[in-house]
Amino acid sequence: MTESHALTPYREALEQELRECFSERQGFLYNVLRYHMGWVDQQGQPETASPRASFHSLLAPVICEAVTGDYEQAMPVAAAIELLYNFSLVHGDVQAGRLEAGARPSIWWVWGPAQAINAGDGFHALARVAVMRLADTGLAPERVLRASEMLDRSCLAMCEGQYADLGFQDRMLVTTGEYDDMIARKSGALTGCSASGGALAAGLDEAEQEVFRDAGVKLGKAWQIMQDVADFWGREGNAVTSSNVLNKKKSLPLIHALENCSTSAKREIGTAYMKRVLESSDLARVVDIMDETGARAYSEERARQLATEAIETLETRARDPQCATRLRALGEMALEAEARD
Protein backbone atom coordinates (compact mmCIF):
# COMPACT_ATOMS: atom_id res chain seq x y z
CA MET A 1 0.00 0.00 0.00
CA THR A 2 1.42 3.39 -1.00
CA GLU A 3 1.61 6.17 1.55
CA SER A 4 -0.92 8.19 -0.49
CA HIS A 5 -3.51 5.41 -0.06
CA ALA A 6 -2.54 4.39 3.47
CA LEU A 7 -4.96 6.88 5.02
CA THR A 8 -8.02 6.02 2.88
CA PRO A 9 -9.72 3.82 5.53
CA TYR A 10 -9.45 6.62 8.08
CA ARG A 11 -10.88 9.19 5.68
CA GLU A 12 -13.84 6.96 4.95
CA ALA A 13 -14.44 6.21 8.63
CA LEU A 14 -14.21 9.89 9.49
CA GLU A 15 -16.67 10.79 6.74
CA GLN A 16 -19.15 8.31 8.21
CA GLU A 17 -18.63 9.67 11.73
CA LEU A 18 -19.13 13.25 10.55
CA ARG A 19 -22.33 12.38 8.70
CA GLU A 20 -23.59 10.72 11.88
CA CYS A 21 -23.00 13.99 13.72
CA PHE A 22 -25.25 15.71 11.15
CA SER A 23 -27.82 12.93 10.77
CA GLU A 24 -30.52 14.50 12.95
CA ARG A 25 -29.66 18.14 12.17
CA GLN A 26 -32.04 19.81 9.74
CA GLY A 27 -32.58 23.38 8.60
CA PHE A 28 -30.78 26.24 6.89
CA LEU A 29 -27.83 26.45 9.29
CA TYR A 30 -26.93 22.80 8.82
CA ASN A 31 -27.28 23.04 5.06
CA VAL A 32 -24.77 25.89 5.12
CA LEU A 33 -22.41 23.70 7.13
CA ARG A 34 -23.01 20.78 4.77
CA TYR A 35 -22.25 23.15 1.87
CA HIS A 36 -18.89 23.99 3.43
CA MET A 37 -18.20 20.26 3.87
CA GLY A 38 -18.91 19.69 0.17
CA TRP A 39 -22.00 17.53 0.74
CA VAL A 40 -24.64 19.85 -0.77
CA ASP A 41 -24.78 22.80 -3.16
CA GLN A 42 -25.99 26.32 -2.34
CA GLN A 43 -29.61 25.20 -2.69
CA GLY A 44 -29.11 22.31 -0.27
CA GLN A 45 -29.17 19.64 -2.98
CA PRO A 46 -26.89 16.63 -2.39
CA GLU A 47 -23.55 16.54 -4.15
CA THR A 48 -21.19 13.62 -4.57
CA ALA A 49 -17.70 14.23 -3.24
CA SER A 50 -14.81 12.00 -2.27
CA PRO A 51 -14.19 11.72 1.47
CA ARG A 52 -11.85 14.46 2.58
CA ALA A 53 -10.14 15.15 5.85
CA SER A 54 -7.41 17.39 7.19
CA PHE A 55 -4.30 15.70 8.50
CA HIS A 56 -5.11 17.39 11.81
CA SER A 57 -8.08 15.08 12.39
CA LEU A 58 -6.47 11.92 10.99
CA LEU A 59 -3.78 12.02 13.65
CA ALA A 60 -6.18 10.75 16.31
CA PRO A 61 -7.25 7.44 14.71
CA VAL A 62 -3.80 6.68 13.26
CA ILE A 63 -2.18 7.16 16.66
CA CYS A 64 -4.88 5.18 18.43
CA GLU A 65 -4.35 2.26 16.05
CA ALA A 66 -0.57 2.54 16.38
CA VAL A 67 -0.99 1.98 20.12
CA THR A 68 -3.91 -0.48 20.32
CA GLY A 69 -4.34 -1.98 16.85
CA ASP A 70 -7.82 -0.39 16.54
CA TYR A 71 -8.74 3.10 15.37
CA GLU A 72 -12.53 3.09 15.71
CA GLN A 73 -12.58 4.25 19.33
CA ALA A 74 -10.80 7.47 18.35
CA MET A 75 -13.23 8.47 15.60
CA PRO A 76 -15.24 10.86 17.84
CA VAL A 77 -11.99 12.71 18.56
CA ALA A 78 -11.21 12.86 14.84
CA ALA A 79 -14.68 14.21 14.05
CA ALA A 80 -14.41 16.86 16.78
CA ILE A 81 -11.00 17.99 15.48
CA GLU A 82 -12.28 18.14 11.89
CA LEU A 83 -15.29 20.22 12.92
CA LEU A 84 -13.14 22.54 15.01
CA TYR A 85 -10.73 22.91 12.09
CA ASN A 86 -13.62 23.91 9.83
CA PHE A 87 -14.76 26.39 12.48
CA SER A 88 -11.35 28.05 12.15
CA LEU A 89 -11.52 27.99 8.34
CA VAL A 90 -14.95 29.63 8.13
CA HIS A 91 -13.96 32.42 10.53
CA GLY A 92 -10.56 32.71 8.84
CA ASP A 93 -12.22 33.26 5.46
CA VAL A 94 -14.13 36.21 6.94
CA GLN A 95 -11.05 37.66 8.62
CA ALA A 96 -8.89 37.38 5.49
CA GLY A 97 -11.65 38.30 3.03
CA ARG A 98 -11.12 35.13 1.00
CA LEU A 99 -13.72 34.73 -1.71
CA GLU A 100 -13.25 31.01 -2.11
CA ALA A 101 -12.95 28.05 0.24
CA GLY A 102 -11.31 25.32 -1.76
CA ALA A 103 -13.11 24.92 -5.08
CA ARG A 104 -16.28 26.80 -4.11
CA PRO A 105 -17.28 30.29 -2.92
CA SER A 106 -16.77 30.95 0.79
CA ILE A 107 -19.78 30.92 3.09
CA TRP A 108 -19.38 34.63 3.80
CA TRP A 109 -19.28 35.45 0.09
CA VAL A 110 -22.54 33.57 -0.55
CA TRP A 111 -24.53 34.36 2.62
CA GLY A 112 -22.66 37.30 4.15
CA PRO A 113 -20.15 37.71 7.02
CA ALA A 114 -22.80 37.58 9.77
CA GLN A 115 -24.12 34.19 8.68
CA ALA A 116 -20.55 32.95 8.18
CA ILE A 117 -19.75 33.82 11.79
CA ASN A 118 -22.93 32.01 12.82
CA ALA A 119 -21.93 28.99 10.73
CA GLY A 120 -18.45 28.94 12.24
CA ASP A 121 -19.98 28.98 15.71
CA GLY A 122 -22.18 26.08 14.62
CA PHE A 123 -19.10 24.05 13.69
CA HIS A 124 -17.59 24.84 17.09
CA ALA A 125 -20.70 23.69 18.95
CA LEU A 126 -20.92 20.50 16.87
CA ALA A 127 -17.29 19.74 17.69
CA ARG A 128 -18.15 19.68 21.40
CA VAL A 129 -21.13 17.43 20.71
CA ALA A 130 -18.96 15.12 18.58
CA VAL A 131 -16.30 14.56 21.23
CA MET A 132 -18.95 13.51 23.74
CA ARG A 133 -19.72 10.56 21.43
CA LEU A 134 -16.64 8.98 23.03
CA ALA A 135 -19.05 7.80 25.71
CA ASP A 136 -20.64 5.51 23.11
CA THR A 137 -17.30 3.71 22.66
CA GLY A 138 -17.31 2.61 26.29
CA LEU A 139 -14.67 5.11 27.40
CA ALA A 140 -14.83 5.92 31.10
CA PRO A 141 -16.80 9.13 31.89
CA GLU A 142 -13.78 10.85 33.42
CA ARG A 143 -11.83 10.26 30.21
CA VAL A 144 -14.67 11.63 28.10
CA LEU A 145 -14.67 14.78 30.22
CA ARG A 146 -10.89 14.97 29.92
CA ALA A 147 -11.20 14.80 26.13
CA SER A 148 -13.77 17.59 26.18
CA GLU A 149 -11.48 19.73 28.32
CA MET A 150 -8.58 19.08 25.93
CA LEU A 151 -10.73 20.19 22.99
CA ASP A 152 -11.76 23.42 24.73
CA ARG A 153 -8.19 24.22 25.76
CA SER A 154 -6.91 23.65 22.24
CA CYS A 155 -9.62 25.90 20.81
CA LEU A 156 -8.71 28.64 23.25
CA ALA A 157 -5.02 28.30 22.39
CA MET A 158 -5.89 28.38 18.68
CA CYS A 159 -7.77 31.65 19.20
CA GLU A 160 -4.78 33.04 21.14
CA GLY A 161 -2.55 32.18 18.20
CA GLN A 162 -4.93 33.76 15.72
CA TYR A 163 -5.06 36.91 17.86
CA ALA A 164 -1.26 37.10 17.88
CA ASP A 165 -1.11 36.46 14.13
CA LEU A 166 -3.51 39.31 13.41
CA GLY A 167 -1.61 41.53 15.84
CA PHE A 168 1.62 40.93 13.91
CA GLN A 169 0.07 42.71 10.91
CA ASP A 170 0.46 46.02 12.73
CA ARG A 171 4.12 45.42 13.57
CA MET A 172 7.13 45.55 11.30
CA LEU A 173 9.46 43.54 13.52
CA VAL A 174 8.45 40.10 14.72
CA THR A 175 11.06 37.69 16.07
CA THR A 176 11.45 34.05 15.11
CA GLY A 177 10.64 33.12 18.70
CA GLU A 178 7.40 35.11 18.64
CA TYR A 179 6.40 33.47 15.37
CA ASP A 180 7.21 30.02 16.73
CA ASP A 181 5.04 30.60 19.80
CA MET A 182 2.22 31.93 17.62
CA ILE A 183 2.10 28.91 15.27
CA ALA A 184 2.39 26.51 18.21
CA ARG A 185 -0.93 27.95 19.34
CA LYS A 186 -2.63 28.81 16.06
CA SER A 187 -1.93 25.47 14.34
CA GLY A 188 -0.06 23.29 16.81
CA ALA A 189 -2.75 23.35 19.49
CA LEU A 190 -5.26 21.55 17.27
CA THR A 191 -2.85 18.89 16.02
CA GLY A 192 -1.54 18.46 19.54
CA CYS A 193 -5.09 17.88 20.76
CA SER A 194 -5.71 15.36 18.01
CA ALA A 195 -2.56 13.40 18.85
CA SER A 196 -3.13 13.43 22.60
CA GLY A 197 -6.82 12.67 22.05
CA GLY A 198 -5.88 9.58 20.07
CA ALA A 199 -3.61 8.51 22.92
CA LEU A 200 -6.37 9.16 25.44
CA ALA A 201 -8.85 7.06 23.46
CA ALA A 202 -6.21 4.32 23.37
CA GLY A 203 -6.12 4.26 27.17
CA LEU A 204 -2.71 5.84 27.73
CA ASP A 205 -2.01 7.88 30.86
CA GLU A 206 -1.54 11.65 30.95
CA ALA A 207 2.26 11.47 30.79
CA GLU A 208 2.08 9.48 27.56
CA GLN A 209 -0.66 11.74 26.21
CA GLU A 210 1.73 14.65 26.67
CA VAL A 211 4.42 12.93 24.60
CA PHE A 212 1.94 12.50 21.77
CA ARG A 213 0.70 16.07 22.19
CA ASP A 214 4.22 17.45 21.76
CA ALA A 215 4.68 15.44 18.55
CA GLY A 216 1.32 16.67 17.28
CA VAL A 217 2.26 20.29 17.99
CA LYS A 218 5.43 19.87 15.92
CA LEU A 219 3.42 18.52 12.98
CA GLY A 220 1.03 21.46 13.24
CA LYS A 221 3.92 23.90 13.22
CA ALA A 222 5.44 22.18 10.19
CA TRP A 223 2.09 22.42 8.37
CA GLN A 224 1.76 26.13 9.15
CA ILE A 225 5.28 26.92 7.97
CA MET A 226 4.64 25.16 4.67
CA GLN A 227 1.36 27.01 4.23
CA ASP A 228 3.20 30.27 4.88
CA VAL A 229 5.75 29.32 2.20
CA ALA A 230 2.91 28.62 -0.24
CA ASP A 231 1.36 31.98 0.64
CA PHE A 232 4.44 33.75 -0.66
CA TRP A 233 5.52 31.60 -3.57
CA GLY A 234 2.19 30.17 -4.66
CA ARG A 235 1.51 26.78 -6.15
CA GLU A 236 3.53 27.60 -9.27
CA GLY A 237 6.30 29.51 -7.52
CA ASN A 238 5.31 32.72 -9.29
CA ALA A 239 4.17 34.86 -6.33
CA VAL A 240 0.49 34.42 -7.21
CA THR A 241 -0.65 34.02 -3.64
CA SER A 242 -3.51 34.21 -1.20
CA SER A 243 -4.85 37.20 0.68
CA ASN A 244 -2.80 36.27 3.74
CA VAL A 245 0.25 37.96 2.19
CA LEU A 246 -1.62 41.01 0.94
CA ASN A 247 -2.98 41.37 4.48
CA LYS A 248 0.63 41.77 5.68
CA LYS A 249 0.89 38.57 7.68
CA LYS A 250 4.34 38.15 9.26
CA SER A 251 5.47 34.58 8.64
CA LEU A 252 8.76 32.71 8.85
CA PRO A 253 10.08 33.44 5.33
CA LEU A 254 9.61 37.19 5.80
CA ILE A 255 11.00 37.14 9.34
CA HIS A 256 14.08 35.23 8.17
CA ALA A 257 14.61 37.71 5.33
CA LEU A 258 14.37 40.69 7.67
CA GLU A 259 16.86 39.08 10.06
CA ASN A 260 19.36 38.36 7.29
CA CYS A 261 18.99 40.90 4.47
CA SER A 262 20.93 44.13 3.95
CA THR A 263 19.94 47.42 5.52
CA SER A 264 18.76 48.78 2.17
CA ALA A 265 16.62 45.68 1.58
CA LYS A 266 15.11 46.09 5.06
CA ARG A 267 14.16 49.64 4.10
CA GLU A 268 12.52 48.40 0.89
CA ILE A 269 10.42 45.87 2.78
CA GLY A 270 9.56 48.49 5.39
CA THR A 271 8.46 50.96 2.74
CA ALA A 272 6.23 48.35 1.09
CA TYR A 273 4.66 47.25 4.36
CA MET A 274 4.03 50.85 5.45
CA LYS A 275 1.55 51.22 2.61
CA ARG A 276 -2.10 50.93 3.47
CA VAL A 277 -2.53 48.24 0.80
CA LEU A 278 0.30 46.01 -0.36
CA GLU A 279 0.39 45.89 -4.17
CA SER A 280 1.42 42.96 -6.34
CA SER A 281 4.59 44.75 -7.45
CA ASP A 282 5.55 45.27 -3.81
CA LEU A 283 5.00 41.59 -3.15
CA ALA A 284 7.18 40.60 -6.10
CA ARG A 285 10.07 42.70 -4.74
CA VAL A 286 9.65 41.27 -1.25
CA VAL A 287 9.78 37.75 -2.71
CA ASP A 288 12.98 38.68 -4.58
CA ILE A 289 14.58 39.77 -1.32
CA MET A 290 13.48 36.58 0.39
CA ASP A 291 15.00 34.56 -2.46
CA GLU A 292 18.27 36.44 -2.00
CA THR A 293 18.41 35.43 1.67
CA GLY A 294 17.42 31.80 1.10
CA ALA A 295 14.22 32.29 3.11
CA ARG A 296 12.26 29.62 1.28
CA ALA A 297 14.90 26.91 1.68
CA TYR A 298 15.38 27.84 5.33
CA SER A 299 11.64 27.66 6.05
CA GLU A 300 11.12 24.40 4.20
CA GLU A 301 14.04 22.81 6.03
CA ARG A 302 12.64 23.96 9.37
CA ALA A 303 9.29 22.39 8.50
CA ARG A 304 10.93 19.12 7.45
CA GLN A 305 12.95 19.05 10.66
CA LEU A 306 9.84 19.48 12.80
CA ALA A 307 7.92 16.82 10.88
CA THR A 308 10.82 14.37 11.05
CA GLU A 309 11.21 14.83 14.81
CA ALA A 310 7.48 14.29 15.31
CA ILE A 311 7.22 11.17 13.15
CA GLU A 312 10.31 9.61 14.73
CA THR A 313 8.72 10.04 18.15
CA LEU A 314 5.46 8.50 16.98
CA GLU A 315 7.14 5.61 15.13
CA THR A 316 8.82 4.42 18.32
CA ARG A 317 5.32 3.72 19.67
CA ALA A 318 3.89 2.03 16.57
CA ARG A 319 2.84 -1.64 16.87
CA ASP A 320 3.94 -2.71 13.40
CA PRO A 321 5.53 -1.39 10.17
CA GLN A 322 2.11 -0.78 8.61
CA CYS A 323 1.33 1.75 11.34
CA ALA A 324 4.68 3.40 10.69
CA THR A 325 3.74 3.79 7.02
CA ARG A 326 0.54 5.60 7.99
CA LEU A 327 2.39 7.85 10.39
CA ARG A 328 4.83 8.79 7.64
CA ALA A 329 1.87 9.51 5.35
CA LEU A 330 0.64 12.03 7.93
CA GLY A 331 4.08 13.63 7.95
CA GLU A 332 3.88 13.97 4.18
CA MET A 333 0.45 15.56 4.44
CA ALA A 334 1.84 18.11 6.88
CA LEU A 335 4.48 19.13 4.35
CA GLU A 336 2.10 19.38 1.39
CA ALA A 337 0.04 22.32 2.62
CA GLU A 338 -0.97 24.89 0.02
CA ALA A 339 -1.98 28.51 0.28
CA ARG A 340 -5.71 29.18 0.40
CA ASP A 341 -6.57 31.58 -2.40
Side-chain angles (χ1 to χ4, degrees):
M1 180 183 295
T2 64
E3 289 190 3
S4 61
H5 292 95
L7 300 175
T8 298
Y10 307 95
R11 290 192 182 95
E12 293 174 346
L14 176 55
E15 181 85 355
Q16 182 177 348
E17 183 74 17
L18 287 167
R19 288 184 181 272
E20 279 294 316
C21 292
F22 278 83
S23 63
E24 297 180 1
R25 311 282 173 180
Q26 302 300 324
F28 171 76
L29 171 64
Y30 301 106
N31 280 343
V32 172
L33 304 189
R34 290 184 178 95
Y35 166 82
H36 180 80
M37 299 295 290
W39 297 340
V40 302
D41 61 20
Q42 293 180 25
Q43 287 72 46
Q45 297 303 307
E47 290 191 327
T48 302
S50 300
R52 63 173 188 169
S54 66
F55 93 96
H56 309 65
S57 57
L58 295 178
L59 269 171
V62 171
I63 284 173
C64 186
E65 185 178 48
V67 174
T68 68
D70 178 28
Y71 65 82
E72 289 290 344
Q73 62 216 61
M75 292 317 302
V77 175
I81 294 296
E82 187 69 13
L83 291 165
L84 201 59
Y85 177 61
N86 280 281
F87 148 75
S88 72
L89 292 182
V90 172
H91 282 194
D93 288 342
V94 176
Q95 290 170 340
R98 283 186 288 263
L99 305 186
E100 294 186 352
R104 53 178 50 198
S106 301
I107 289 177
W108 81 266
W109 186 243
V110 178
W111 290 285
Q115 289 291 25
I117 292 171
N118 193 38
D121 292 346
F123 272 124
H124 178 270
L126 276 177
R128 300 195 81 251
V129 172
V131 78
M132 298 305 289
R133 286 168 58 89
L134 280 168
D136 298 335
T137 69
L139 199 66
E142 59 270 18
R143 281 186 168 261
V144 177
L145 290 175
R146 168 64 177 158
S148 181
E149 179 189 11
M150 288 164 54
L151 190 73
D152 286 343
R153 288 185 180 276
S154 69
C155 183
L156 185 58
M158 184 172 63
C159 292
E160 291 170 354
Q162 182 67 15
Y163 181 90
D165 191 24
L166 293 172
F168 289 171
Q169 294 181 30
D170 299 323
R171 295 169 50 188
M172 191 61 232
L173 297 178
V174 175
T175 67
T176 301
E178 289 174 319
Y179 170 82
D180 191 74
D181 179 71
M182 181 272 290
I183 64 171
R185 298 169 188 271
K186 177 184 175 183
S187 298
L190 196 58
T191 48
C193 180
S194 185
S196 58
L200 180 147
L204 298 183
D205 61 27
E206 290 191 18
E208 278 294 298
Q209 292 169 30
E210 190 66 16
V211 172
F212 283 95
R213 189 195 75 83
D214 289 344
V217 169
K218 287 181 179 179
L219 283 174
K221 290 165 63 176
W223 176 84
Q224 186 61 61
I225 290 171
M226 292 304 293
Q227 181 149 303
D228 290 343
V229 168
D231 270 341
F232 271 114
W233 281 273
R235 294 183 177 87
E236 307 299 329
N238 58 4
V240 179
T241 64
S242 78
S243 58
N244 280 339
V245 173
L246 297 179
N247 284 339
K248 306 181 183 179
K249 292 291 185 73
K250 305 301 188 304
S251 57
L252 187 59
L254 180 66
I255 293 169
H256 177 80
L258 286 168
E259 291 178 342
N260 293 276
C261 69
S262 66
T263 301
S264 60
K266 284 186 178 71
R267 282 197 294 266
E268 284 190 75
I269 295 175
T271 299
Y273 272 72
M274 284 292 289
K275 293 183 178 181
R276 184 175 181 181
V277 178
L278 197 65
E279 300 175 1
S280 296
S281 58
D282 298 320
L283 175 58
R285 177 55 186 148
V286 170
V287 170
D288 285 342
I289 295 171
M290 289 193 296
D291 286 338
E292 292 165 6
T293 62
R296 181 174 188 174
Y298 169 83
S299 301
E300 290 176 341
E301 177 57 32
R302 176 58 178 154
R304 282 192 293 269
Q305 179 185 11
L306 286 165
T308 298
E309 291 174 0
I311 297 305
E312 287 178 351
T313 297
L314 297 176
E315 282 183 331
T316 62
R317 287 158 172 80
R319 288 168 54 98
D320 58 56
Q322 195 73 5
C323 291
T325 297
R326 290 162 183 152
L327 290 168
R328 287 193 295 271
L330 287 174
E332 289 300 314
M333 283 185 72
L335 296 177
E336 291 173 355
E338 294 182 332
R340 301 189 72 226
D341 299 325

